[in-house]
Amino acid sequence: MSKIAILTQPLGPNYGGILQAFALQHILREMGHQPITIDRRGKLSPLRATASLAKGGLLWMAGKQRRIRRWPSPKESETICRHTNRFVSEHITTSVPITTTDKLRRYTEQGEFDAYIVGSDQVWRKAYSPCIPNYFLDFLPEDSQAKRIAYAASFGISKWEFTEAETQLYARLAKCFDLISVREDSAVDLCREHLGVDAIHVLDPTMLVDRSVYEELAMSRYAHPSKGDLFCYILDRTQEKSQLVRETASEQGLTPFEILPREYRNLPPRADLSTVVMPPVEQWLRSFMDATYVITDSFHGTVFSILFEKPCIVIQNASRGNDRFQSLLKMINVPFEGTCQFLDFRSDEISDHLAELRHRSLRLLSQSSPEPTHLQKL
């Protein structure tokens, strides 16, 4: 049994991020490995906290009540994420929290890992990653014998956003990897053009797991029947999207429902946190299972609409990265034009194509793992 350390984005209030981490560990355990996800977190910015306190103090001195809250405190975050944190603690093996490269280096030296897997999610996107050099394994000594693997690593966007100095560093580190696989086809080009390495396009880890695993979670005691049949998983609400929901519900004769709470930043100063608590991951999965129809502007919302074979209106989300949507749909041979489109994922052709892609991705991950496993026979 090989010990494998995984580096992915921090597991916060993000259903897709949590489930891709769950899925990768699930698959690695099936292969006979012992995975552990490094709990790599960003440091709390003293400048941000000070600025927020200072602004509040000035408003209070001026006799004005603060209209919005900007960031939750650590204690508030525990309340907001109590259900998602519980899911992580029950289903994902994680390290102690690590906030610096030095702490990460010391932890991995003590762990004696046989391999390191970077991915999935947008681990190589500047705006999201707590420390991108770590996600190119800069903390490992050059003579380390551990395997270095990127599985479905993502830049999130098709534009190269790194400086010349950063590019030189990441190119040097990338050449030390035994395998680099990426989640978007544009990332194959970015790796070749800027890092000087060949990358392979693979499925997101969530798509490697059989749907029955998600259905079992959705039927757990933490989920209850959904309150409608038109699941609206919309991350960035606008008037146009709300109008689309109303029109679709009317045309299809469906009852819309959503489970995302209100945004913390719009919470009144003295309001309790009940309206901003994230529902359980199991309830999110139950929403796809129960839905007749889905509307989403989320990448993983699109992924799970495919997995649960639901008719879906997919809305590209430029601020979070359009390339992810286009690349995913191209992989399963579904044409996508414009920024908003109805797609029916109830198709034997899509299922067969997805099964073949899953087979290839699993085989690649298996063959790059530290020791032979039963999945290598695929």
Side-chain angles (χ1 to χ4, degrees), residues 84-334:
T84 51
N85 287 345
R86 187 266 312 154
F87 182 90
V88 170
S89 67
E90 289 181 359
H91 297 285
I92 302 175
T93 304
T94 62
S95 72
V96 296
I98 294 173
T99 56
T100 69
T101 300
D102 284 341
K103 290 178 181 178
L104 178 58
R105 184 178 293 112
R106 289 196 297 271
Y107 177 81
T108 55
E109 285 173 352
Q110 296 167 1
E112 298 182 347
F113 292 100
D114 301 293
Y116 294 84
I117 296 181
V118 176
S120 172
D121 226 347
Q122 300 182 62
V123 291
W124 291 341
R125 187 168 181 183
K126 236 179 183 178
Y128 295 165
S129 185
C131 182
I132 288 184
N134 288 175
Y135 292 85
F136 281 99
L137 306 181
D138 68 329
F139 55 90
L140 288 181
E142 290 186 7
D143 60 353
S144 172
Q145 298 302 303
K147 285 208 167 188
R148 308 181 194 211
I149 300 164
Y151 183 79
S154 172
F155 295 100
I157 55 178
S158 57
K159 174 185 174 184
W160 190 253
E161 56 180 351
F162 301 109
T163 66
E164 184 176 346
E166 289 170 334
T167 300
Q168 290 178 358
L169 172 62
Y170 302 152
R172 178 176 63 80
L173 293 170
K175 290 178 176 65
C176 297
F177 276 65
D178 297 278
L179 169 74
I180 291 183
S181 63
V182 291
R183 198 175 65 183
E184 291 87 35
D185 53 3
S186 63
V188 174
D189 297 330
L190 292 177
C191 285
R192 182 178 60 253
E193 294 169 10
H194 299 281
L195 302 180
V197 296
D198 292 327
I200 301 171
H201 190 194
V202 295
L203 286 175
D204 185 86
T206 53
M207 306 187 87
L208 302 181
V209 175
D210 190 82
R211 187 171 85 188
S212 62
V213 175
Y214 299 125
E215 289 174 334
E216 184 177 351
L217 289 170
M219 294 304 294
S220 76
R221 63 190 179 92
Y222 297 108
H224 55 265
S226 301
K227 297 179 179 180
D229 44 15
L230 171 58
F231 181 35
C232 305
Y233 184 56
I234 297 174
L235 300 178
D236 300 302
R237 299 180 177 99
T238 65
Q239 291 183 354
E240 291 78 13
K241 292 175 187 177
S242 297
Q243 180 63 25
L244 176 63
V245 169
R246 289 192 292 270
E247 291 174 354
T248 303
S250 176
E251 291 170 2
Q252 301 294 326
L254 301 173
T255 302
F257 72 100
E258 57 183 330
I259 68 166
L260 279 181
R262 68 186 298 181
E263 294 184 77
Y264 177 87
R265 63 184 180 180
N266 294 328
L267 195 64
R270 291 183 176 83
D272 67 47
L273 297 176
S274 60
T275 58
V276 295
V277 172
M278 296 287 291
V281 174
E282 296 89 345
Q283 187 64 53
W284 189 78
L285 290 168
R286 179 69 184 257
S287 299
F288 285 98
M289 191 176 77
D290 290 347
T292 301
Y293 205 105
V294 177
I295 298 178
T296 188
D297 63 353
S298 154
F299 170 76
H300 279 106
T302 305
V303 165
F304 279 88
S305 296
I306 295 170
L307 291 174
F308 281 93
E309 299 180 350
K310 301 297 180 177
C312 179
I313 293 179
V314 176
I315 307 167
Q316 288 196 79
N317 195 323
S319 65
R320 297 174 187 262
N322 280 345
D323 196 59
R324 302 176 300 153
F325 295 86
Q326 297 162 352
S327 183
L328 169 64
L329 295 171
K330 190 188 300 182
M331 276 190 92
I332 61 172
N333 204 27
V334 173

